[in-house]
Amino acid sequence: MDTTMAATEMNIAAAGRVPAPKAIISVSDVVVGFGERVILDHLSLDVMRGEILGFVGGSGAGKSVLMRTIVGLVPKREGRITVLDVDLDAATDEERRAIERRWGVLFQHGALFSSLTVLQNVQFPMREYLDISPRLRDEIAMAKLEMVGLKADVGDKYPAELSGGMTKRVALARALALDPDILFLDEPTSGLDPIGAGDFDELIATLQRTLGLTVFMVTHDLDSLHTVCDRIAVLADGKVIAAGPMSVMLASEHPWLKAYFRGKRSRAGRASQETGRPGAAS
Amino acid sequence: MVSGCDMAVELSTDSELMFKYDGTIWRRSRLPSGRARIRICTRGVFVSGGPELKSAVDGERLVLAAVGPWTAAHSDALERTIDETVATPAAARKVEIDMSGIDRLDTFGAWLLERLRRTLASDGREAVLVGVSDDRRGLIEDLQKVNLEPAESNSHLLGLNWLAAIGATMAEVTRSFLLLAQMLGEVSHAGVRALIRPGSFRLTSTVHHLDRVGWRAVPIILLITFLIGAIIAQQGIFHFRRFGAEVYVVDMVGVLVLREIGVLIVCIMVAGRSGSAYTAELGAMKMREEIDALRTMGFDPVEVLILPRIVAIVIAVPILTFLGSMAALYGGGLVCWLYGGMNPDIFLSRLKESISLNHFVVGMVKAPFMAMMIGIVACVEGLQVKGSADSLGSQTTASVVKSIFLVIVLDGFFAIFFASMGK
């Protein structure tokens, strides 16, 4: 019995109006700063159920800070964060733990437990949270590893023996261990070669479809933004300056968006250069 | 609307709320007019609505209907249900697993269904999954591709494992001695190079380490050796008093402190205080590839990182030994005066008679060799750290244990050496 889905509060307008698509994560007016420096300045952002949201911004703009604030690793000064209809400030410890079971986090460098094997890493959350037989735990962990594209023999290795791409895949398998509703990804494709990054994007899209995940992805990778993200939110000066699908980003005349999405390294940028200089091999 | 768990709240008409649990209406309530704020608590235990696997025989076919939430939270009960179902003998060769009654499904439930299908198939029965909705098809298909190779057990030759462990330990001991010898060679080489080209010696780094290993250790070393000297004197007086030989306490304190205790206590403190720090620092640098970075830039890690540390410890330990011995003698003298009633003048003159310069030299000569041993063990262990936090911890422990052990072994060799020299 799911007794964990705890006290939920909502406002229902008396007139039976059809609600807008439901936000699974709702961040409103959040202020985060370190000392004198304000990183997030009254930032608001909604992540809708079932979407892949790409979160972009300049280096050091505070993309990871927002992710870490949502999952509770960085304290906020003001504002409200609601995840799965639970206000995280008002939640009791029990409610918080229930929410933490329903999200998975992929850290930028994997953050695998170095003293456990790959299989033990994936089993770790199951061991703590679920009362299941060792056989089923082994099978599910192996299934998760294979679903993220790893071979069965990786299970006995230690994190120090893995390559960068494998580390990310194992970290993804661990993030998925409890079948979360929400997946937070911090630069999932950084440090991967373009082929590996493409595979990883495809993997995330496939898993999102099959498991019905909501994905919050902090990224710099323009290709990821093009191929997998349903919506993109852009962070600049501590605020979300734009949010919407790729077409909106490309059409925008905001100078930063123009530089980011239509700059030299973007597809649009490359395409225009190639048409400008016919015959130039890319 | 709240969904995603077994419970749902729906607005059926403009003014009525329906509380549904597992698809059936549990309660209706009229909504007050205007804007209402509703608080829903789903804590408490609902008695119905667990997952089930209902079996029914339909002619030649056995139909297994999966009902309810097939999720991680229920997986333990589900696994038992499935084991029972598989164990129940059935004549039907064809089995249909009907998934249409499942209201929630995750990887755990889907894998259990897939396992049920495989177990039935391996029994020679024809098992198919039916009633798979489109949004679940992807998950089911994914799981059909996994866990195809049987898990291999690696518990072979359990009986001989202890033998293998002994062999591995012996090989490890041999290897660690070779590594010590290698490090001694590398440090000597770097030292000679530094003598030839003094410009290559890292003076700043050495002074920094000297500050940490030597200067900052002075208070604790003084305190500990003072206490040890005082305790030896007190015990001596207490026991020698029975023979009326209290005056020989001065001989005992003098010889023991200057030859053995002073240098040993200092070395044990330094091994615990600075040897462990060396290992942890070098280990962390190894883990973060800083040592590899140095090497690729054309620097020799032994010259840059290890030689300054070893020079610092070799300078610091004799100084600390001298200070420690003096503090121990002072402690001994104080106890003799206050506890044994021996006048400080008598203590000093007795001390002058009973000990010669030899005793002092024997203690001091050992200090730099022991310091070298501690430094080399600490650096070797630091460079042995692998990628995990675990190995950093175990190498640091090994560093302290090995260096204290080797310091005592070295002390034994010195004892034999000085005895045969007649000193």
Side-chain angles (χ1 to χ4, degrees):
Chain A
M1 184 55 255
D2 242 342
T3 53
T4 46
M5 173 71 186
T8 307
E9 223 174 78
M10 60 180 186
N11 290 312
I12 298 175
R17 176 166 58 82
V18 180
K22 186 76 191 146
I24 196 164
I25 301 170
S26 172
V27 177
S28 53
D29 262 345
V30 162
V31 179
V32 176
F34 303 112
E36 294 281 291
R37 238 166 56 119
V38 175
I39 309 282
L40 304 179
D41 182 17
H42 296 282
L43 178 145
S44 298
L45 178 69
D46 281 345
V47 183
M48 303 302 163
R49 189 179 279 279
E51 74 173 349
I52 301 184
L53 179 82
F55 194 53
V56 302
S59 295
K63 303 182 296 298
S64 301
V65 172
L66 178 65
M67 194 191 100
R68 295 171 77 88
T69 309
I70 297 173
V71 299
L73 293 172
V74 173
K76 60 181 187 301
R77 288 183 186 165
E78 280 175 47
R80 207 173 108 106
I81 295 175
T82 312
V83 176
L84 292 156
D85 297 319
V86 176
D87 181 350
L88 293 181
D89 289 327
T92 62
D93 284 356
E94 202 181 317
E95 286 164 354
R96 249 204 93 81
R97 269 199 297 280
I99 295 292
E100 280 164 5
R101 273 180 58 165
R102 297 179 62 182
W103 69 44
V105 183
L106 171 73
F107 288 94
Q108 197 176 347
H109 302 289
L112 296 176
F113 303 125
S114 56
S115 53
L116 302 180
T117 64
V118 164
L119 201 64
Q120 286 167 338
N121 259 288
V122 179
Q123 289 178 342
F124 187 80
M126 296 183 210
R127 205 182 278 271
E128 296 300 310
Y129 280 126
L130 299 175
D131 185 21
I132 57 175
S133 69
R135 177 183 166 201
L136 183 60
R137 202 162 54 213
D138 283 347
E139 286 173 346
I140 295 280
M142 286 310 303
K144 302 261 174 191
L145 285 176
E146 289 185 45
M147 279 168 87
V148 299
L150 291 168
K151 296 257 163 35
D153 58 349
V154 177
D156 293 330
K157 290 201 167 122
Y158 280 91
E161 302 167 72
L162 302 178
S163 70
M166 282 157 93
T167 305
K168 294 240 160 163
R169 282 170 194 261
V170 175
L172 182 64
R174 187 181 69 180
L176 293 171
L178 293 174
D179 272 69
D181 294 344
I182 308 170
L183 190 60
F184 292 98
L185 307 173
D186 194 355
E187 306 211 3
T189 53
S190 73
L192 300 184
D193 65 274
I195 300 170
D199 286 351
F200 207 84
D201 284 341
E202 207 170 290
L203 175 67
I204 287 166
T206 313
L207 289 172
Q208 191 267 340
R209 270 198 305 279
T210 52
L211 302 176
L213 299 166
T214 305
V215 182
F216 181 94
M217 172 155 63
V218 171
T219 187
H220 270 308
D221 190 334
L222 284 161
D223 288 323
S224 306
L225 294 169
H226 271 285
T227 49
V228 296
C229 292
D230 299 319
R231 221 156 56 90
I232 295 163
V234 183
L235 177 71
D237 303 325
K239 287 192 172 65
V240 174
I241 55 167
M246 195 62 177
S247 53
V248 174
M249 298 296 134
L250 288 174
S252 169
E253 287 301 320
H254 189 287
W256 196 88
L257 293 185
K258 239 172 121 176
Y260 194 93
F261 292 101
R262 285 187 271 166
K264 275 190 185 150
R265 301 197 56 181
S266 68
R267 286 183 180 186
R270 283 196 300 250
S272 67
Q273 274 179 352
E274 274 159 33
T275 48
R277 286 184 290 125
S282 57
Chain B
M1 304 295 111
V2 179
S3 63
C5 74
D6 301 313
M7 197 169 156
V9 181
E10 282 172 25
L11 205 56
S12 64
T13 63
D14 277 4
S15 59
E16 197 182 48
L17 271 180
M18 283 194 305
F19 294 83
K20 281 186 169 180
Y21 179 67
D22 258 356
T24 55
I25 297 168
W26 170 50
R27 203 165 173 182
R28 290 166 188 271
S29 86
R30 289 191 63 79
L31 208 59
S33 57
R35 222 174 133 77
R37 189 174 173 81
I38 298 169
R39 193 179 168 86
I40 302 153
C41 288
T42 58
R43 247 188 255 148
V45 179
F46 294 94
V47 280
S48 64
E52 279 180 84
L53 189 65
K54 295 175 182 156
S55 56
V57 180
D58 176 16
E60 283 290 283
R61 292 176 305 153
L62 174 67
V63 179
L64 298 172
V67 189
W70 280 59
T71 55
H74 304 283
S75 51
D76 201 37
L78 280 171
E79 195 179 17
R80 265 178 276 132
T81 314
I82 283 176
D83 287 347
E84 281 165 27
T85 309
V86 171
T88 316
R93 306 308 306 163
K94 281 189 175 171
V95 185
E96 270 183 16
I97 303 165
D98 184 8
M99 289 177 57
S100 53
I102 295 178
D103 52 17
R104 282 192 300 132
L105 183 73
D106 65 8
T107 323
F108 291 78
W111 166 250
L112 284 167
L113 286 172
E114 171 63 15
R115 189 161 103 187
L116 173 65
R117 190 189 68 79
R118 283 190 201 174
T119 319
L120 291 171
S122 68
D123 267 6
R125 292 195 247 183
E126 231 176 89
V128 281
L129 291 169
V130 297
V132 188
S133 61
D134 283 342
D135 52 335
R136 290 175 186 159
R137 193 175 302 279
L139 180 59
I140 295 290
E141 282 172 3
D142 269 3
L143 286 174
Q144 285 177 348
K145 287 180 236 154
V146 303
N147 282 343
L148 291 175
E149 289 159 32
E152 48 183 294
S153 75
N154 45 7
S155 60
H156 52 15
L157 290 178
L158 257 182
L160 290 177
N161 275 355
W162 60 272
L163 202 60
I166 291 176
T169 311
M170 294 319 289
E172 188 53 40
V173 169
T174 319
R175 206 176 77 91
S176 69
F177 275 109
L178 288 177
L179 282 170
L180 284 182
Q182 187 194 345
M183 181 58 79
L184 184 63
E186 282 184 45
V187 170
S188 314
H189 182 215
V192 170
R193 260 181 310 170
L195 284 180
I196 298 169
R197 281 189 302 123
S200 72
F201 184 65
R202 318 268 146 177
L203 187 64
T204 319
S205 169
T206 310
V207 171
H208 168 72
H209 287 294
L210 201 53
D211 173 54
R212 288 178 30 180
V213 177
W215 180 240
R216 292 187 198 191
V218 168
I220 186 69
I221 294 281
L222 288 182
L223 180 65
I224 285 196
T225 46
F226 172 81
L227 289 175
I228 295 277
I231 290 164
I232 290 173
Q234 187 273 335
Q235 288 291 305
I237 291 167
F238 183 77
H239 290 280
F240 286 6
R241 191 173 271 165
R242 280 187 281 177
F243 317 109
E246 279 153 285
V247 78
Y248 290 106
V249 165
V250 182
D251 297 55
M252 184 180 79
V253 169
V255 172
L256 211 52
V257 163
L258 291 180
R259 285 186 80 109
E260 297 293 337
I261 298 288
V263 68
L264 276 183
I265 293 292
V266 166
C267 282
I268 288 169
M269 277 302 290
V270 168
R273 213 182 148 275
S274 309
S276 59
Y278 282 5
T279 307
E281 285 162 11
L282 292 173
M285 287 187 206
K286 179 92 191 298
M287 273 166 92
R288 302 175 56 126
E289 299 177 322
E290 290 174 39
I291 289 177
D292 296 341
L294 271 179
R295 205 164 265 148
T296 55
M297 289 177 210
F299 293 105
D300 179 9
V302 174
E303 187 184 300
V304 179
L305 298 173
I306 293 174
L307 187 64
R309 284 181 164 78
I310 301 233
V311 169
I313 207 170
V314 167
I315 294 173
V317 168
I319 297 172
L320 291 173
T321 302
F322 175 75
L323 293 175
S325 302
M326 294 307 114
L329 289 181
Y330 184 74
L334 213 56
V335 166
C336 284
W337 182 30
L338 298 175
Y339 178 77
M342 187 187 289
N343 200 304
D345 291 341
I346 301 174
F347 180 83
L348 281 179
S349 61
R350 180 74 203 153
L351 196 62
K352 223 193 288 178
E353 282 170 34
S354 63
I355 58 172
S356 63
L357 193 62
N358 258 347
H359 294 304
F360 176 71
V361 170
V362 164
M364 292 305 288
V365 158
K366 291 194 281 194
F369 289 96
M370 290 177 172
M372 185 85 153
M373 187 66 99
I374 296 168
I376 285 179
V377 169
C379 293
V380 166
E381 295 297 328
L383 293 184
Q384 293 304 301
V385 169
K386 302 281 182 311
S388 74
D390 226 22
S391 85
L392 182 59
S394 60
Q395 294 312 126
T396 309
T397 309
S399 154
V400 175
V401 173
K402 268 190 203 169
S403 48
I404 291 178
F405 170 72
L406 288 175
V407 157
I408 288 170
V409 170
L410 195 62
D411 193 43
F413 281 122
F414 270 116
I416 297 167
F417 173 72
F418 287 124
S420 58
M421 296 275 288
K423 296 214 168 178

